[in-house]
Amino acid sequence: MMRDKKRYILAASSRPIHEADRKRFEAELYSAMMQQLGEAEYFKANPKVIKFSGKERFVLKVMHERYEQSIVALTFIKTISGKPIGLYTLKSSGTIMAVQK
Amino acid sequence: MPFYDLAHQTALHGYLWKQLGFKKIGVAESHVKISLPGSKNIAGSICVGPSGEHLNAAAKQSPRAIIINDSRIDRKLLDTMKAKNVILCIPFDRILGSVGLRRSSAIYMTSRLVQYAIKREIRVAFVSFAGSEEMLCSPVQLIELAKLLGAKEEYARNAVSVTNWELIA
């Protein structure tokens, strides 16, 4: 079986994500991304937050073939938990090491 | 490649914009004047208005760029812009500030305008024109949004770098 190529996106949030809120933020982010991508595309993009770094940054893993759509979806998300938010794509790479540098 | 953007002062009160990766974010009304069709001294400013006779007249006065509010394709206006070397400025605030069908409609209208302008070899600038921190975009996001509207990767990169610089310089 061939391994799927992945892409790692370093994203930042306009408001801090506190440690206690991370699980909830993740769930709401997936839900918002599904709304933007549609169910079929969401399944193909398969986004997963794999790491939080500091209060505002996180690394999102997506499938390589839906990487561009995932960036557009992140850009379109303007509210999470009913509060306004801006999500910015700072960097992307094929390896998690490179994206964290 | 250095990237540039244009936003309102209200979007830049925090510190986050410094981390987005732009070399400079120009401030509307500070680095570049925003004018309405029919106002005096349009030359060198960014003229914002709906397509029509007023905007056609404004285009003849050599503004730096034009933002077509309703995103309609006005062939006469675009011909004048090409002749006068006026940049077509595409702000993403209307796309990002709306949701659902309104956003979908805005994307459709803007993409038709962008594709027509690119075909006619009119220079296009893609800016966030953000009024709040949430509406700001990183260079990667500006490029992806430009691609969504029909620009090719190379064209989008060049627009966010060179054409945006000409807009705010």
Side-chain angles (χ1 to χ4, degrees):
Chain A
M1 202 173 111
M2 266 185 60
R3 278 181 67 189
D4 294 319
K5 274 178 91 179
K6 287 146 195 130
R7 195 90 186 154
Y8 298 89
I9 299 168
L10 177 66
S13 157
S14 64
R15 63 179 157 90
I17 308 154
H18 300 291
E19 220 167 318
D21 299 334
R22 282 179 180 176
K23 281 261 181 268
R24 193 172 162 201
F25 172 82
E26 248 186 85
E28 298 217 6
L29 177 72
Y30 297 149
S31 163
M33 282 193 81
M34 187 185 281
Q35 203 180 347
Q36 297 302 332
L37 290 166
E39 286 180 22
E41 289 293 306
Y42 179 85
F43 149 73
K44 287 173 187 165
N46 196 18
K48 285 273 175 300
V49 176
I50 54 163
K51 196 179 179 185
F52 284 94
S53 137
K55 279 186 181 171
E56 284 138 1
R57 293 182 179 202
F58 60 94
V59 179
L60 187 73
K61 181 182 83 176
V62 295
M63 290 299 144
H64 190 275
E65 58 185 18
R66 292 292 182 276
Y67 143 74
E68 290 169 350
Q69 290 93 325
S70 301
I71 290 180
V72 173
L74 275 179
T75 313
F76 283 171
I77 296 169
K78 292 296 167 202
T79 51
I80 278 188
S81 311
K83 290 177 191 165
I85 196 168
L87 296 172
Y88 317 110
T89 309
L90 303 178
K91 210 174 176 185
S92 72
S93 173
T95 65
I96 190 161
M97 291 289 276
V99 90
Q100 288 182 105
K101 268 183 193 170
Chain B
M1 207 173 200
F3 297 111
Y4 304 90
D5 190 18
L6 178 69
H8 294 281
Q9 185 63 56
T10 47
L12 309 175
H13 60 81
Y15 61 93
L16 200 77
W17 64 274
K18 291 173 188 161
Q19 301 174 19
L20 295 181
F22 290 105
K23 188 161 184 194
K24 185 181 174 183
I25 299 182
V27 181
E29 294 291 5
S30 171
H31 291 114
V32 59
K33 199 183 140 200
I34 309 292
S35 65
L36 296 169
S39 55
K40 291 173 188 172
N41 299 327
I42 283 177
S45 69
I46 297 178
C47 192
V48 186
S51 58
E53 275 183 29
H54 291 300
L55 204 58
N56 281 356
K60 288 173 188 159
Q61 295 175 53
S62 297
R64 192 179 296 192
I66 280 181
I67 294 176
I68 306 173
N69 263 347
D70 51 8
S71 299
R72 288 192 188 280
I73 299 172
D74 183 338
R75 285 162 205 261
K76 208 170 151 189
L77 169 65
L78 292 163
D79 283 345
T80 313
M81 286 172 69
K82 192 184 176 186
K84 295 271 182 186
N85 201 22
V86 177
I87 297 169
L88 172 67
C89 182
I90 303 293
F92 288 128
D93 62 332
R94 257 168 288 142
I95 290 175
L96 297 179
S98 54
V99 286
L101 285 174
R102 272 173 178 252
R103 178 183 280 164
S104 184
S105 166
I107 293 171
Y108 174 73
M109 293 292 287
T110 316
S111 70
R112 284 183 65 228
L113 176 66
V114 167
Q115 285 167 30
Y116 182 80
I118 291 174
K119 200 171 143 194
R120 293 297 318 273
E121 294 175 348
I122 295 164
R123 288 181 308 150
V124 184
F126 299 97
V127 297
S128 68
F129 215 53
S132 67
E133 205 175 26
E134 288 81 25
M135 293 295 163
L136 281 171
C137 294
S138 70
V140 181
Q141 287 169 312
L142 285 185
I143 290 165
E144 286 306 327
L145 287 173
K147 282 162 71 181
L148 179 74
L149 297 180
K152 290 198 172 134
E153 169 100 33
E154 190 69 25
Y155 187 95
R157 281 186 168 275
N158 199 52
V160 178
S161 179
V162 180
T163 319
N164 280 10
W165 168 242
E166 285 177 42
L167 203 66
I168 63 166

